Amino acid sequence: TASAAYDWMPDGRTLVIASQMDGKESKLMSIQFATPVQESGALMKPETEKQPDGTWKSFEGPDRFAGPQSAATVLTVNQPRLQALPDGRVLLACQPITLPMIRTETELDPRLYLLAADHKSITQVPSADGALPSNLDVFVASPDGRRVAVVESYTDAVAIVDLASGKTEIISPAHPRWECTTAPAWKSPAELTFAALHGSAPTPQLMLWNTSGDTRCLSESWPKGSTEGWLKQRSNDSSSSTK
């Protein structure tokens, strides 16, 4: 059964999907590609059709849906997440493993990976040890595919990762007991908007960061309460802050 992790490839016809391999609770995922749309924009026809005599006949051709094709197998830690990049590569987060493996307690250390455009190789984004949060549930690649914004789960910290070098920059630090409930959004390849605490404002604000390193607030004059739900305060329950 396919999970909710999917994205359209740049051609607008092909989907990349993270599909669970062993039951609903499985963290082992097959990264698959399927093309349900013809070049004309019409949906693909089914590969088999029922005939007047009740039998089923198989068809082949560029207008027939051939089903998904598996390209990689990965182990996810939390929710599966992937994103197609403009150059045809796929960005995903998963737990490094070596197969075959014995059933043991694995130290969780999810990393960002890039599946090549030809689907023949997968490489790790070279982030330094400890540079990424231990939970990569939320990340958003820039429109040019050069950077990715990461929101640390259970906090409101926001980081920018350069996909070529792995260099990570914290653009908004974590604040005690605050947690982000929204995903950042790229305004352009060089500008990112995100929710954060700002100055003495009692509620979260919409911030704009750019590649020159400048960050400014966009929502200071907005009506009261416009951004109130974009961050939330956690209780002191230790289970809420476990990474």
Side-chain angles (χ1 to χ4, degrees):
T1 301
S3 74
Y6 63 90
D7 197 11
W8 286 100
M9 297 299 292
D11 64 5
R13 301 174 52 228
T14 301
L15 283 166
V16 57
I17 308 161
S19 181
Q20 292 168 316
M21 296 185 66
D22 186 23
K24 293 183 179 180
E25 303 301 321
S26 175
K27 297 298 183 182
L28 198 61
M29 297 281 169
S30 173
I31 306 302
Q32 301 178 337
F33 292 85
T35 304
V37 180
Q38 301 180 42
E39 289 187 8
S40 65
L43 291 177
M44 290 284 188
K45 298 177 183 178
E47 192 175 22
T48 59
E49 292 183 6
K50 192 174 184 179
Q51 302 303 296
D53 62 1
T55 61
W56 289 85
K57 183 178 179 180
S58 296
F59 294 88
E60 295 183 358
D63 62 345
R64 298 289 173 172
F65 181 62
Q69 303 295 318
S70 182
T73 300
V74 301
L75 180 67
T76 60
V77 174
N78 295 289
Q79 296 297 318
R81 186 78 56 186
L82 52 76
Q83 186 173 356
L85 301 183
D87 60 4
R89 295 179 299 168
V90 176
L91 176 66
L92 58 143
C94 56
Q95 169 73 17
I97 58 171
T98 300
L99 296 174
M101 63 181 294
I102 60 173
R103 189 174 183 86
T104 183
E105 192 68 27
T106 303
E107 181 180 353
L108 298 182
D109 184 27
R111 298 296 181 104
L112 293 170
Y113 287 85
L114 289 165
L115 177 62
D118 62 6
H119 311 166
K120 293 182 179 180
S121 63
I122 186 168
T123 57
Q124 182 179 308
V125 175
S127 304
D129 291 342
L132 294 175
S134 58
N135 187 318
L136 293 173
D137 274 358
V138 180
F139 60 80
V140 184
S142 59
D144 60 3
R146 295 178 57 189
R147 301 175 179 86
V148 59
V150 178
V151 177
E152 184 174 24
S153 294
Y154 310 119
T155 81
D156 60 338
V158 181
I160 300 291
V161 181
D162 182 274
L163 291 178
S165 67
K167 180 181 178 182
T168 302
E169 176 186 357
I170 303 296
I171 64 171
S172 182
H175 298 85
R177 294 181 58 190
W178 281 92
E179 178 180 351
C180 191
T181 59
T182 56
W186 290 91
K187 188 172 181 288
S188 73
E191 297 178 305
L192 179 80
T193 58
F194 61 94
L197 298 179
H198 176 66
S200 59
T203 58
Q205 300 295 314
L206 179 66
M207 309 299 295
L208 177 68
W209 170 91
N210 62 41
T211 52
S212 66
D214 297 327
T215 303
R216 61 187 179 93
C217 182
L218 299 178
S219 56
E220 287 178 318
S221 61
W222 289 12
K224 183 179 180 181
S226 298
T227 61
E228 190 170 0
W230 292 7
L231 300 178
K232 69 177 182 180
Q233 280 190 294
R234 300 191 315 268
S235 67
N236 282 325
D237 184 352
S238 60
S239 63
S240 298
S241 58
T242 302
K243 302 267 184 92

